[in-house]
């Protein structure tokens, strides 16, 4: 793989325009009733789990069940940033992976084009240890302060 | 396609979760070199670079050997190919999800029209 232009890719990014207003698209990503309508690899899947606690530090769970299976694939994570209706940042992990990359980081940005919306979707498969450590430090700091108040 | 056991997959991904290590790998993917030359563009000490190299070696991403007093490193392609496969797998998954979203929004637009 000796390659003059070698880059170590650790994330993927997709961009897509949706023919709907930004608030509508943002709701589709964040309201359980909406998510149950689309958040699965195909029409044959059912979406038995869609739990959302939409705030920084809040958790979500999405379960997608393939046809003919009793067991859903369940993804879960924590919201790191919630900026209605422009941006979502959340961690992403699978509850029962066979093998997997571990905790990853997703960013969804919504740009208003009037009647339609530009979405930029980024999945960082190998988020930097440092940002993970900083986040953990931030949280333990918050919890320490909270414990002192209570 | 060679299957790597999940323990080595974990150490590959841990190795990749550092921007300095990724930059080191990108340099080595262009061709083998000595540790001294490798360390030059980084604003960190040689021991710090060696520490990163140990992590990369432990993950099976590079091979280190001594030629007299020169320490050489070269890139090992296999584990990175697995990482690339994961990215492709997820890309296909999310392309599918965004397609499903587009169809759903279109369907519900039609319903809303009088």
């Amino acid at each position: 793989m000796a390659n003059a232009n070698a880059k170590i890719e650790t994330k993927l990014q997709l961009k897509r325009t949706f023919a709907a207003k930004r608030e509508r698209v943002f709701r589709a990503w964040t309201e359980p009733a909406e998510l149950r309508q689309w958040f699965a690899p195909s029409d044959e899947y059912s979406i038995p789990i869609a739990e959302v606690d939409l705030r920084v530090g809040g958790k979500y769970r999405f379960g997608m069940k393939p046809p003919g299976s009793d067991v859903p694939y369940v993804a879960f994570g924590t919201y790191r940033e919630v900026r209605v209706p422009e941006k979502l940042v959340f961690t992403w992990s699978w509850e029962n992976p066979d093998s997997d990359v571990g905790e990853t980081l997703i960013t969804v940005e919504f740009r208003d084009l009037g009647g339609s919306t530009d979405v930029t979707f980024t999945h960082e498969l190998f988020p930097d240890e440092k940002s993970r450590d900083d986040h953990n430090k931030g949280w333990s700091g918050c919890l320490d302060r909270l414990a002192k108040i209570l | 396609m060679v299957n790597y056991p999940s323990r080595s997959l974990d150490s590959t991904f841990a190795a990749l979760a550092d921007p300095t290590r990724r930059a080191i790998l990108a340099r080595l993917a262009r061709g083998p070199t000595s540790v001294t030359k490798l360390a030059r563009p980084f604003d960190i000490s040689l021991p710090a670079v060696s520490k990163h190299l140990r992590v990369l070696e432990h993950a099976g991403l590079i091979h280190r050997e001594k030629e007299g007093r020169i320490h050489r490193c070269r890139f090992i392609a296999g584990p990175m190919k697995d990482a690339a496969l994961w990215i492709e797998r997820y890309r296909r998954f999310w392309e599918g999800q965004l397609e499903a979203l587009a169809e759903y929004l279109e369907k519900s637009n039609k319903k809303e029209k009088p």
Side-chain angles (χ1 to χ4, degrees):
Chain A
M1 200 168 145
N3 175 356
N5 292 317
K7 258 199 306 181
I8 304 302
E9 289 301 336
T10 60
K11 68 179 182 190
L12 68 97
Q13 193 171 80
L14 301 169
K15 291 184 202 232
R16 185 153 183 169
T17 304
F18 295 93
K21 293 201 173 106
R22 182 166 66 163
E23 287 71 14
R24 177 83 186 79
V25 184
F26 191 88
R27 275 192 298 125
W29 275 89
T30 53
E31 283 178 15
E34 295 286 309
L35 286 156
R36 279 174 202 274
Q37 304 294 317
W38 67 272
F39 200 81
S42 80
D43 280 346
E44 290 164 344
Y45 278 66
S46 68
I47 306 171
I49 303 171
E51 299 161 7
V52 175
D53 181 9
L54 193 69
R55 58 183 176 88
V56 175
K59 299 196 189 302
Y60 71 84
R61 278 178 86 225
F62 303 139
M64 316 153 215
K65 196 146 71 85
S69 165
D70 286 332
V71 184
Y73 296 116
V74 182
F76 71 97
T78 308
Y79 291 101
R80 295 260 192 101
E81 255 185 81
V82 178
R83 265 193 268 157
V84 184
E86 5 177 287
K87 188 173 180 184
L88 288 170
V89 180
F90 49 95
T91 60
W92 175 278
S93 311
W94 293 99
E95 266 179 18
N96 285 304
D98 295 325
S99 76
D100 193 29
V101 299
E103 187 183 86
T104 61
L105 193 67
I106 291 178
T107 302
V108 194
E109 288 160 298
F110 304 79
R111 196 158 69 94
D112 189 8
L113 299 175
S116 57
T117 308
D118 252 354
V119 171
T120 301
F121 174 91
T122 308
H123 195 167
E124 177 84 54
L125 290 202
F126 310 109
D128 290 349
E129 276 167 349
K130 186 175 184 302
S131 61
R132 246 189 283 146
D133 287 346
D134 286 348
H135 176 72
N136 288 338
K137 280 196 212 117
W139 274 115
S140 24
C142 284
L143 292 174
D144 286 345
R145 289 200 296 278
L146 189 61
K148 289 197 181 115
I149 297 170
L150 289 175
Chain B
M1 187 188 91
V2 182
N3 274 319
Y4 290 90
S6 40
R7 198 155 32 91
S8 77
L9 219 51
D10 285 346
S11 54
T12 300
F13 301 144
L16 290 173
D18 179 282
T20 305
R21 289 199 287 268
R22 292 200 297 267
I24 290 173
L25 268 185
R27 168 59 191 82
L28 286 173
R30 294 201 300 271
T33 189
S34 70
V35 174
T36 323
K37 289 209 184 109
L38 197 53
R40 228 169 261 157
F42 300 104
D43 197 17
I44 56 178
S45 66
L46 207 49
V49 172
S50 287
K51 192 170 167 203
H52 283 307
L53 292 176
R54 273 201 300 281
V55 174
L56 289 170
E57 190 180 28
H58 175 74
L61 287 159
I62 66 171
H63 178 72
R64 290 198 297 173
E65 57 197 11
K66 258 206 303 192
E67 267 176 35
R69 279 189 307 183
I70 300 178
H71 292 155
R72 307 201 85 84
C73 300
R74 62 180 171 80
F75 178 80
I76 298 176
M80 270 316 298
K81 283 186 186 149
D82 267 12
L85 278 172
W86 277 109
I87 291 182
E88 268 322 292
R89 200 172 290 177
Y90 274 105
R91 179 182 296 277
R92 285 199 297 271
F93 174 72
W94 289 112
E95 277 170 352
Q97 297 291 82
L98 294 183
E99 180 60 34
L101 176 58
E103 282 172 16
Y104 167 58
L105 289 171
E106 207 181 323
K107 246 195 294 179
S108 50
N109 271 350
K110 287 197 180 120
K111 280 198 197 136
E112 279 162 24
K113 286 196 163 85

